[in-house]
Amino acid sequence: MSKPRGPYAKTSAKRQQIIDAALAAYAEAGSRNVSLRDIAQRAGMTYAGVMHHFGSKEALLTAVLEARDVAAEERFGPGSGGAEPSFSAVLRHNASTPGLVKLFVDLAAAAAEPDHPAHDFFEQRYERLRARLAERIEHGVADPAEVDAAWLARIFIAAADGLQLQWLLDPDIDMAADIERLGATLVGPHWTAGPARERPAPDAPEGERPAPS
């Protein structure tokens, strides 16, 4: 695919510049609110310039969360190299960027309204996460038939989102430890929603099947 040229390329580059500035601002913000003027200043632009490229604050913040997900996929996703980390590892990383956690919690609540600019983003995001986590759960247990992977995926995602909200109010909460404990309680003591286990082919002789880790 050829790279965009001309005015479109400049617009795309400016949008990315603004998103990068916003990501940095929220990552460093802690509990402090981030204003569009903060972001504009970081990007070396005016407030009007930022609005020109995104149209509204909600549209910009949605783009910021989309970029955050892309970065998380590169860091933690299957194509990141090495073993795919546990669900708790993602929460542990989130604890290092409270500003972005707060942005996620705030925007997720607002996006429940069908006409909110982030509504489709969150709807598709949860659908994708539920499917991926359910697949990992099925591959992470000895007998997938014994668990309701789709239900467990919804419960774990709901627990993670709720823990992030509680953690914003009480930073002493260990989100990663809590989600690990939930996994041990619902699925088993050795399950952490981590890398998929290799399961033998159905017709493999018993003696040739890999021992459970």
Side-chain angles (χ1 to χ4, degrees):
M1 181 182 292
S2 60
K3 294 183 178 179
R5 298 179 180 179
Y8 180 82
K10 292 180 180 179
T11 298
S12 179
K14 283 291 186 182
R15 282 175 59 90
Q16 189 59 52
Q17 182 180 337
I18 296 166
I19 291 170
D20 289 344
L23 276 169
Y26 275 101
E28 299 169 11
S31 59
R32 180 179 63 83
N33 288 327
V34 176
S35 72
L36 285 185
R37 285 182 170 78
D38 292 334
I39 295 169
Q41 185 175 21
R42 278 178 177 262
M45 300 176 65
T46 64
Y47 173 89
V50 170
M51 286 295 93
H52 169 74
H53 287 285
F54 288 93
S56 70
K57 180 178 182 178
E58 290 78 11
L60 168 58
L61 298 184
T62 302
V64 169
L65 289 184
E66 289 174 340
R68 178 195 185 219
D69 278 359
V70 169
E73 183 70 14
E74 292 174 352
R75 183 185 182 108
F76 296 116
S80 59
E84 191 173 3
S86 67
F87 197 11
S88 57
V90 177
L91 286 177
R92 192 171 291 113
H93 172 72
N94 286 354
S96 68
T97 56
L100 285 170
V101 172
K102 186 175 186 302
L103 172 61
F104 174 87
V105 169
D106 290 346
L107 207 60
E113 295 295 330
D115 59 348
H116 192 280
H119 180 83
D120 290 346
F121 164 72
F122 277 99
E123 187 176 50
Q124 294 165 15
R125 183 182 190 275
Y126 278 121
E127 183 178 352
R128 183 175 66 253
L129 286 178
R130 286 193 300 266
R132 173 180 286 185
L133 185 53
E135 182 179 6
R136 291 178 68 180
I137 289 169
E138 288 180 343
H139 284 80
V141 296
D143 186 357
E146 292 185 355
V147 300
D148 185 342
W151 178 81
L152 284 169
R154 290 198 304 273
I155 295 302
F156 278 113
I157 293 169
D161 285 0
L163 281 169
Q164 290 186 109
L165 174 57
Q166 293 184 63
W167 174 78
L168 288 171
L169 297 168
D170 180 5
D172 288 337
I173 289 175
D174 189 333
M175 296 186 290
D178 282 353
I179 210 72
E180 287 174 355
R181 185 176 179 181
L182 179 64
T185 300
L186 294 180
V187 184
H190 303 297
W191 186 86
T192 60
R197 289 184 185 177
E198 180 180 353
R199 289 209 300 269
D203 57 350
E206 186 67 30
E208 296 178 10
R209 299 187 178 194
S213 58

